[in-house]
Amino acid sequence: MYAGNADAQAREVFRQTLCVGRSRLRASTGALGFVFFGGPTIVAGLVPWLLTRWHADSQPTALRILGGVLLVLGAALVLETTTRFALQGRGTPAPWAPPERFVVRGSYRVVRNPMYVGVIALIAGQGLLLGRELLFAWAAAAWLLFHAFVVYEEEPGLRRRFGAEYEDYCRRVGRWLPRTATAFRR
């Protein structure tokens, strides 16, 4: 009887480990799919290309370098936040497959919406790199769309799902800009 009980426990541990592995794999592939075939690629890749065909105007070298830096930082933010959603939150950035767990690590300790900040940085970086003012207008329009979505859809949903934990997070961490006094506590 004892050996059978140990076997049952071992099978249960294996099943739970397999489920966690599957959940993380599903979340990781979903998150990467969303980034490369969904929101960020459309907003920061396809739309800028449609607007400019990536033709560059004359631009000082310093501004092009700054544009390159913004592109690298924006891409790093998008990839870091997507990875956190998949591995720590066990979900995706997509509204139809959100994380199961509340994620408050990494760049989420500094601002509440670092993925959107990363996408805006990608657009602005292209604007600087290409010398195309139209991309700054698109960055502003995209930010307005993001802001409306965050305020009217995302935040109410997070308040319902995570309650007091999310309310406390909102008090400590700014929506778009860091609150320097509280950004690195905890």
Side-chain angles (χ1 to χ4, degrees), residues 45-185:
L46 180 61
V47 173
W49 179 78
L50 289 171
L51 293 172
T52 67
R53 300 288 195 249
W54 287 323
H55 294 282
D57 288 343
S58 180
Q59 185 76 328
T61 302
L63 291 179
R64 286 181 185 229
I65 291 170
L66 180 59
V69 169
L70 273 177
L71 284 170
V72 168
L73 292 174
L77 268 176
V78 169
L79 292 174
E80 184 259 342
T81 54
T82 301
T83 301
R84 283 198 190 284
F85 269 34
L87 300 179
Q88 294 170 357
R90 293 202 184 139
T92 74
W96 56 87
E100 298 169 3
R101 297 179 178 162
F102 188 52
V103 178
V104 194
R105 295 184 182 157
S107 57
Y108 286 96
R109 292 179 66 198
V110 181
V111 293
R112 294 196 313 253
N113 298 292
M115 183 175 295
Y116 294 131
V117 171
V119 170
I120 298 303
L122 286 168
I123 299 167
Q126 290 174 72
L128 287 168
L129 189 67
L130 300 174
R132 301 294 300 266
E133 294 84 9
L134 181 60
L135 290 175
F136 297 112
W138 170 236
W143 177 80
L144 284 171
L145 291 170
F146 291 156
H147 184 71
F149 181 73
V150 163
V151 169
Y152 296 112
E153 179 65 28
E154 259 187 17
E155 288 180 350
L158 289 167
R159 281 185 178 86
R160 282 189 302 275
R161 288 179 61 217
F162 299 110
E165 184 180 15
Y166 183 70
E167 290 295 338
D168 178 57
Y169 175 65
C170 289
R171 281 189 289 278
R172 290 183 293 105
V173 179
R175 184 181 284 141
W176 300 110
L177 298 173
R179 295 179 185 158
T180 54
T182 59
F184 296 101
R185 282 190 196 160

Side-chain angles (χ1 to χ4, degrees), residues 16-26:
Q16 288 178 359
T17 302
L18 186 61
C19 287
V20 167
R22 284 184 186 161
S23 177
R24 284 189 177 152
L25 178 62
R26 187 177 309 123

